[in-house]
Amino acid sequence: MSFPFAASVRAMSKVGRTALRVPDAVSVSVATVSDTPHLPASANASNLPSARVARVNGPLGSLVLPLAPCISLAVLNNGRRIDVSVSDPTDRRQRAMWGTTRRLLENLVTGVSEAFTVPVRLVGVGYRAALESVDPSASESVFQQSSAAANPKSRIVLKLGHSHPIVVNVPDGVEVSIPTPQRLILRGIDLAVVTQLAANIRKHRKPEPYNQKGVFVGDETIKKKEGKKR
């Protein structure tokens, strides 16, 4: 018994083919690396897969996104709509980059127009956080540090049940507020930088399931486990 070959069409990227709506106060353009001198160190010309970047400007700041060689951006409706496309939609890697680039571009548009806010909760007896300004002339602290910026202007001092305080440097572009000693609010236009700072804080006391203590990011919860019973 013979079966006919399938003649179905390969599925396109549902996220990538969706048009991106741009607010009135935001502009998106494609530039070359030489035209963008303020790229981060991780996005220099030697590390970029191509010499093109998407530059997003808004009321809260400016961000850039490196573009892969297969990615094309079409700016339509006087800059109010962005269409993302790839050179070969049947290629698996290009389809993956298609949706990823569109989602990252959407995060940049949201960041420069509204910013991202990530809450962090410290759950535990004696757990608390404090925000300190950094004196450039001061010597290096003897406390354990978690470097998040080369030349930080402020730092977060955490007491998480260790024998010493934990110091986490605040990177540029992130605002930190501490409404209560056990609650931090991280805010910034770059989602990757804000969430990385939250991860740097969380790694020093990850939530544990027996007493449900630790550092919780956002609406994170953990299911309680029962200890061994004698």
Side-chain angles (χ1 to χ4, degrees):
M1 183 176 181
S2 61
F3 295 93
F5 290 101
S8 59
V9 181
R10 286 181 177 269
M12 300 175 65
S13 173
K14 295 181 179 179
V15 176
R17 65 184 179 182
T18 305
L20 176 61
R21 303 296 177 180
V22 181
D24 294 336
V26 178
S27 63
V28 180
S29 61
V30 179
T32 59
V33 176
S34 59
D35 295 334
T36 310
H38 300 294
L39 281 175
S42 59
N44 54 34
S46 60
N47 294 334
L48 285 177
S50 71
R52 299 177 304 124
V53 295
R55 180 187 297 169
V56 182
N57 297 318
L60 300 182
S62 177
L63 294 172
V64 293
L65 174 67
L67 298 176
C70 60
I71 297 295
S72 299
L73 298 184
V75 182
L76 307 173
N77 297 342
N78 296 324
R80 304 282 68 84
R81 172 181 169 181
I82 305 296
D83 286 347
V84 183
S85 61
V86 293
S87 56
D88 184 8
T90 62
D91 185 83
R92 178 180 297 180
R93 293 185 178 181
Q94 292 193 24
R95 288 202 308 272
M97 287 301 301
W98 192 0
T100 299
T101 302
R102 195 270 182 194
R103 185 64 72 188
L104 292 176
L105 195 60
E106 181 182 8
N107 289 341
L108 266 59
V109 171
T110 303
V112 299
S113 59
E114 302 175 7
F116 294 96
T117 301
V118 177
V120 178
R121 295 177 292 116
L122 310 181
V123 180
V125 178
Y127 291 9
R128 59 186 56 249
L131 187 63
E132 296 181 353
S133 59
V134 176
D135 184 4
S137 61
S139 58
E140 184 178 357
S141 174
V142 296
F143 298 150
Q144 180 177 348
Q145 296 194 8
S146 176
S147 298
N151 297 308
K153 297 180 181 179
S154 59
R155 62 187 182 184
I156 304 170
V157 181
L158 302 167
K159 294 183 179 180
L160 300 175
H162 298 288
S163 60
H164 55 274
I166 303 296
V167 178
V168 179
N169 295 328
V170 179
D172 293 336
V174 179
E175 298 178 1
V176 179
S177 59
I178 304 180
T180 62
Q182 293 187 328
R183 180 176 173 84
L184 299 88
I185 303 297
L186 314 180
R187 186 174 186 271
I189 64 174
D190 194 334
L191 180 61
V193 176
V194 176
T195 53
Q196 183 60 53
L197 176 59
N200 290 340
I201 298 174
R202 182 183 182 275
K203 71 180 182 180
H204 293 289
R205 183 66 75 178
K206 297 180 180 179
E208 53 91 10
Y210 295 101
N211 296 316
Q212 294 182 310
K213 296 180 180 180
V215 178
F216 294 81
V217 176
D219 56 355
E220 179 184 9
T221 58
I222 188 170
K223 186 177 181 181
K224 184 176 178 59
K225 289 184 178 180
E226 294 291 338
K228 292 183 179 180
K229 296 181 180 180
R230 296 182 180 179

